[in-house]
């Protein structure tokens, strides 16, 4: 626990960023949970619920790589503050939603928040490496990953309660409060990033430079063996995640014979393992190379998924699914912390935003392809064979990462952190 305490106790700015993330992510989950339920109540349409998912996901593909270019130009702390303020402001139209006739307002709010998220995430991931010592980076990323699971548990539970108590109005107010609390914490961060840019620039020149920087971000994603490996890993696993997100509910229903309550409990149980896994990864993170954590985590993540997906072949019990979803949280936390650390170590301050955004956008495309493939092939190939592909993607990916650890070594010019 020495590593964990070293990051939390000594790095004041990182502690503030982590706390702000926990609060705002909890707000995201309470709104997401409440909206999913409320949309169906107001419309009675699964198509309307699907439209909500599309509105939240499309900006990742359409805006992700371009947003990263702007993040590299701006101060990361200010970017996070401004996006949180805008997130609070765009929630206000939800107060006008009264029935199915005004449901388009919900889509507009979700779309606007998803667009803002494309600026927030690259800024956050670019800021973390300059707030902590390089030896503490794995621990910091593990903690950052853990708060996502913690916020999921807290936010989903609160979202259901608030929806029952006050509907969309109470959800909007509560989520807005979390964004404002996050702003207060981020405002106390002392770190400042200098970005030297020309004040006056012709429109044509600005467009050309924007295009050049956007293109550069795409090229940097495959610049060097380490970045190419990371990029391909994200594409392959993104395809698998698209398949998983589409077919997991049918898997629980058709292959395991579970109902809606069982499905909800199985999905949420992964957060339990994720919280434990995040603590373990944070406690021992500085003792292991990022590539080792990433590879080992991905390998065992895939193995546990394969065990879960194949369990109906030997038993129709729901117990293996519950156990596997809890267990998979541990290697999942290791894999995510290792991958994010490797990405940060392979890049430099001033380029991380556009690289992270480009990877997010490319991964979003493969997720969409996975969703489409699962929809088209689910009844032809079968649910289990397609889900097995998802597990194999992580297993093979983990083996490749472990065999290529040398190319994932940190860059010597990685920016040094500022003193706490």
């Amino acid at each position: 626990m020495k590593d964990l305490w070293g990051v939390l106790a000594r790095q004041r700015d990182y502690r503030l960023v982590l706390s702000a993330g926990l609060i705002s992510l909890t707000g995201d989950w309470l709104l997401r949970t409440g909206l999913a339920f409320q949309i169906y109540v107001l419309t009675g349409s699964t198509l309307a619920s699907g439209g909500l998912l599309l509105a939240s996901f499309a900006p990742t593909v359409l805006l992700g790589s371009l947003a990263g270019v702007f993040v590299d130009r701006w101060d990361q702390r200010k970017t996070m503050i401004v996006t949180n303020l805008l997130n609070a402001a765009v929630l206000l139209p939800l107060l006008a939603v009264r029935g199915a006739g005004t449901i388009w307002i919900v889509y507009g709010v979700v779309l606007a928040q998803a667009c803002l998220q494309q600026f927030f995430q690259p800024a956050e991931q670019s800021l973390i490496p300059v707030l902590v010592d390089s030896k503490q980076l794995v621990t910091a990323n593990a903690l950052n990953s853990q708060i996502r699971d913690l916020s999921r548990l807290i936010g989903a539970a609160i979202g259901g309660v608030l929806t029952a108590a006050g509907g969309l109005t109470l959800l909007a107010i509560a989520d807005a409060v979390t964004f404002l609390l996050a702003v207060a914490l981020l405002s106390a961060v002392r770190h400042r990033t200098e970005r030297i840019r020309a004040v006056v620039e012709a429109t044509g020149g600005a467009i050309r430079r924007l295009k050049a920087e956007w293109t550069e971000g795409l090229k940097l994603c495959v610049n060097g063996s380490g970045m190419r490996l990371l990029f391909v890993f994200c594409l392959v696993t993104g395809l698998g995640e698209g398949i998983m997100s589409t077919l997991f509910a049918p898997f629980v229903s058709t292959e395991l014979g579970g109902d809606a309550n069982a499905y909800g409990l199985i999905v949420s149980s992964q957060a339990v393992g994720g919280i434990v896994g995040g603590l373990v990864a944070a406690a021992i993170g500085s003792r292991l190379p990022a590539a080792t954590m990433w590879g080992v985590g991905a390998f065992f993540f895939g193995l546990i998924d394969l065990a879960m997906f194949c369990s109906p072949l030997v038993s129709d019990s729901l117990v293996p699914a519950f156990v596997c979803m809890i267990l998979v949280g541990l290697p999942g936390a290791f894999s995510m912390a290792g991958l994010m650390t490797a990405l940060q170590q392979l890049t430099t301050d001033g380029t991380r935003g556009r690289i992270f955004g480009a990877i997010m956008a490319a991964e979003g495309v493969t997720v969409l392809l996975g969703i489409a493939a699962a929809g088209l092939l689910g009844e032809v190939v079968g649910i289990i064979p397609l889900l097995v592909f998802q597990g194999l993607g992580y297993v093979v990916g983990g083996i490749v990462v472990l065999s290529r650890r040398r190319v994932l070594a940190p860059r010597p010019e990685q920016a040094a952190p500022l003193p706490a």
Side-chain angles (χ1 to χ4, degrees):
M1 301 298 287
K2 181 180 178 181
D3 298 332
L4 182 62
W5 179 252
V7 174
L8 291 177
R10 299 175 186 174
Q11 304 295 350
R12 172 186 176 275
D13 282 351
Y14 171 74
R15 193 166 62 246
L16 289 169
V17 171
L18 189 72
S19 300
L22 175 61
I23 292 171
S24 63
L25 282 172
T26 299
D28 289 344
W29 272 105
L30 71 86
L31 183 69
R32 186 181 309 176
T33 304
L35 283 182
F37 179 81
Q38 198 71 8
I39 285 290
Y40 188 75
V41 168
L42 291 174
T43 65
S45 168
T46 56
L47 182 61
S49 300
L52 192 67
L53 179 63
L54 180 62
S56 65
F57 188 74
T60 301
V61 177
L62 301 176
L63 188 61
S65 62
L66 186 61
V69 175
F70 289 100
V71 169
D72 283 336
R73 295 182 173 202
W74 301 333
D75 178 271
Q76 296 120 339
R77 169 185 159 277
K78 289 181 180 178
T79 301
M80 295 168 70
I81 289 174
V82 171
T83 52
N84 272 321
L85 287 172
L86 291 174
N87 267 312
V90 300
L91 285 167
L92 294 177
L94 289 180
L95 303 179
V97 177
R98 291 292 181 267
T102 53
I103 208 68
W104 61 270
I105 296 176
V106 176
Y107 294 138
V109 169
V110 171
L111 183 64
Q113 287 203 318
C115 289
L116 291 169
Q117 190 69 7
Q118 306 314 306
F119 293 89
F120 182 89
Q121 285 186 329
E124 181 186 42
Q125 295 303 327
S126 298
L127 182 59
I128 289 174
V130 298
L131 296 181
V132 301
D133 186 83
S134 58
K135 294 180 180 179
Q136 299 173 322
L137 193 52
V138 174
T139 300
N141 282 315
L143 286 169
N144 207 43
S145 176
Q146 187 196 31
I147 67 166
R148 299 181 187 279
D149 290 308
L150 186 59
S151 64
R152 179 177 179 175
L153 277 180
I154 299 172
I158 297 176
V161 173
L162 293 182
T163 302
L168 287 181
T169 298
L170 190 54
L171 283 174
I173 294 172
D175 195 19
V177 169
T178 65
F179 284 121
L180 296 178
L181 289 174
V183 167
L185 290 169
L186 291 170
S187 298
V189 173
R190 295 169 184 161
H191 174 77
R192 301 292 185 273
T193 303
E194 294 296 330
R195 294 284 186 257
I196 301 173
R197 298 290 178 189
V199 178
V200 179
E201 185 174 36
T203 302
I207 294 176
R208 283 194 297 271
R209 193 175 69 184
L210 180 63
K211 181 180 178 182
E213 292 178 359
W214 175 68
T215 305
E216 181 189 13
L218 297 177
K219 291 179 179 178
L220 287 172
C221 289
V222 292
N223 182 29
S225 301
M227 282 304 305
R228 283 196 294 271
L229 173 58
L230 190 148
F231 187 66
V232 173
F233 179 91
C234 289
L235 295 184
V236 173
T237 54
L239 185 66
E241 289 303 318
I243 294 173
M244 171 78 168
S245 64
T246 305
L247 295 182
F248 192 66
F251 170 76
V252 173
S253 176
T254 303
E255 305 295 340
L256 298 179
D259 57 14
N261 289 330
Y263 172 72
L265 290 172
I266 290 173
V267 171
S268 63
S269 64
Q270 184 175 352
V272 177
I275 292 171
V276 176
L279 281 174
V280 175
I284 67 173
S286 64
R287 305 173 196 174
L288 294 174
T292 301
M293 288 190 67
W294 172 15
V296 170
F299 177 78
F300 284 102
F301 185 94
L303 280 185
I304 296 172
D305 269 2
L306 286 174
M308 176 172 59
F309 299 145
C310 294
S311 65
L313 300 177
V314 295
S315 171
D316 58 359
S317 173
L318 289 170
V319 174
F322 277 106
V323 173
C324 287
M325 284 298 279
I326 293 173
L327 292 178
V328 83
L330 177 60
F334 268 67
S335 179
M336 180 58 66
L339 186 150
M340 289 308 307
T341 304
L343 173 59
Q344 291 161 348
Q345 290 177 337
L346 288 169
T347 56
T348 56
D349 189 31
T351 64
R352 290 192 183 100
R354 73 193 77 175
I355 294 173
F356 184 80
I359 291 175
M360 283 176 56
E363 187 177 10
V365 172
T366 59
V367 170
L368 286 177
L369 290 175
I371 292 172
L376 293 172
L377 300 176
E379 295 184 2
V380 178
V381 178
I383 294 173
I384 292 178
L386 285 175
L387 287 174
V388 164
F389 172 83
Q390 188 260 5
L392 287 175
Y394 278 98
V395 169
V396 174
I399 293 173
V400 173
V401 168
L402 290 172
S403 66
R404 301 277 289 168
R405 283 175 291 179
R406 197 175 304 173
V407 304
L408 294 166
R411 296 172 63 100
E413 63 270 28
Q414 183 181 0
L418 296 178

